Amino acid sequence: MVFKYPLYEKGSYLQEFVDSMVCRCERVVLIAALYPDKNFFSPRNLSIKWIPLFPVPIIGEIFYNLLIFFKGIIYLRDVDVINVISARPAIVGFLLGKILNKPVVCTVEIINEPGNRWFQKESVINAIQKLIYSLKYDKIICWSKYYFYAYLKKWGVGEGTVVIIPSGIDISRYNPLICGEGIRNNFPPGSFLIVFAKPMYEYNRKMAELLLLSVKLLDRDLDIRVLLGDGQQRKMIEDKIKILGLGEKISFMPIVPITKIPEYLAAADIIVLPFTYQPTTSRSLLESMAMGKAIVVTNSGEITEMLTDGEEALVVEPEEKALASAIRRVCFDRELKNKLGRNARLLVEKSFSIESVADKTLEVYREVICPLVFVERSCNV
């Protein structure tokens, strides 16, 4: 069960995960909101039960959860395990598990950050999430080691209940052999192209602004071009570009489906991800690593759990001078650039493929379905 699926109209990491699970299971039942367009493809053994989504605070949430409950009572009777992905349907999933006598796995995809409304204040939202994740699930899968130590452990969730399984990526779709020449040819020969292929909403806008500040510091030394994602807050970024006098250096990507993103990443000389918040296993980071790109990233959230500075990326403070210095190093040191890209790809292959994530998730399902088998196995080790 998830809140929205596939999250984005043209696909998402969540759709990749579900597709990978479908290949490994006899049957998958998915309860979710967000109706897809007519071209949406659903595998034969994936049964999706759609729920209308009403964008009304609190009332919409209550209605959404009531519909999940009634659909769950009908359609989840024959499943072996219930996996609730994200916080919104978690309590209902827990109740369905009790009523239907099914093991329940809760997947912590993201910890919601405070917002501007009263029910999104830090004290309120933390209390709600603490309540949700403190329920007695059979297992909790957490996509981020950082989230476990920063939140779940402080909320009293025991280590024995939690399994850390980071999100993954389809490494066949994202790989160093993809050609981005058609996009790269739109920029001057000899320039260094940074691709920031993230939609321009608030979190990413703040990241983009920090990137622009670092590029401004390098303006006299290097011919750097930046290709930014489009989105709701593009106008704010355009105003920042004018203030910094970087007009000819910055371009915007068209809005493209997720399947086109690899071509844009392939065109990049460097990927810079200056996180100004605490990310989990970032999708954009995994995409860039799988493409074998040299990456400059800030030391926020899960990043320091994933990467070693100077090995798979240059990991720096979220500050424009540190970013500028790291970008300069990569631009002038071809050996370093090649090493970072090569090591990043190897790490994704080893630890972050979608196949690996699906296999580890299935192991958790087997454990909660047949706990005695796993107790015996652990006793015999």
Side-chain angles (χ1 to χ4, degrees), residues 245-258:
L246 293 173
E248 66 175 16
K249 303 284 188 180
I250 315 298
S251 304
F252 287 88
M253 292 171 50
I255 296 175
V256 297
I258 196 171

Side-chain angles (χ1 to χ4, degrees), residues 27 29 31 49 70-79:
R27 179 169 169 260
V29 179
I31 301 178
K49 311 303 175 185
F70 290 119
K71 290 217 173 191
I73 289 291
I74 297 170
Y75 295 110
L76 299 182
R77 290 183 177 276
D78 298 327
V79 302

Side-chain angles (χ1 to χ4, degrees), residues 158-198:
E159 291 190 40
T161 307
V162 179
V163 180
I164 306 296
I165 304 177
S167 59
I169 194 165
D170 184 345
I171 60 175
S172 63
R173 178 178 294 175
Y174 292 84
N175 69 79
L177 299 179
I178 293 171
C179 179
E181 187 176 347
I183 296 164
R184 184 63 180 83
N185 287 340
N186 294 320
F187 299 89
S191 63
F192 294 93
L193 177 62
I194 297 173
V195 175
F196 184 82
K198 294 175 75 68

Side-chain angles (χ1 to χ4, degrees), residues 56 238 249 294 335 339 352:
V56 181
E238 288 176 332
K249 303 284 188 180
E335 186 176 337
K339 171 190 170 184
F352 299 103

Side-chain angles (χ1 to χ4, degrees), residues 57-129:
I58 301 178
I59 295 174
E61 297 283 336
I62 294 171
F63 189 69
Y64 167 74
N65 279 279
L66 283 173
L67 286 176
I68 284 183
F69 180 79
F70 290 119
K71 290 217 173 191
I73 289 291
I74 297 170
Y75 295 110
L76 299 182
R77 290 183 177 276
D78 298 327
V79 302
D80 295 309
V81 61
I82 298 172
N83 186 357
V84 187
I85 300 177
S86 76
R88 279 185 170 96
I91 292 179
V92 174
F94 177 79
L95 292 175
L96 285 169
K98 294 296 183 184
I99 294 169
L100 299 175
N101 194 28
K102 306 290 182 183
V104 178
V105 175
C106 180
T107 297
V108 182
E109 171 205 6
I110 189 168
I111 300 290
N112 293 315
E113 298 290 336
N116 298 321
R117 299 179 179 178
W118 68 267
F119 56 86
Q120 295 175 327
K121 288 185 178 179
E122 186 171 6
S123 58
V124 176
I125 201 166
N126 278 349
I128 293 171
Q129 291 180 113

Side-chain angles (χ1 to χ4, degrees), residues 288-309:
S288 305
M289 292 169 64
M291 295 295 294
K293 292 297 174 179
I295 302 166
V296 175
V297 66
T298 49
N299 57 356
S300 305
E302 188 76 2
I303 304 303
T304 54
E305 301 285 350
M306 295 173 59
L307 305 175
T308 301
D309 179 34

Side-chain angles (χ1 to χ4, degrees), residues 183-229:
I183 296 164
R184 184 63 180 83
N185 287 340
N186 294 320
F187 299 89
S191 63
F192 294 93
L193 177 62
I194 297 173
V195 175
F196 184 82
K198 294 175 75 68
M200 205 53 63
Y201 51 77
E202 185 177 5
Y203 281 171
N204 295 337
R205 173 186 59 79
K206 292 177 179 178
M207 292 174 63
E209 288 177 346
L210 182 53
L211 171 58
L212 293 176
L213 289 171
S214 65
V215 169
K216 181 62 178 177
L217 293 178
L218 297 168
D219 198 22
R220 295 181 180 178
D221 301 341
L222 294 164
D223 183 10
I224 290 183
R225 306 300 168 114
V226 181
L227 185 57
L228 297 174

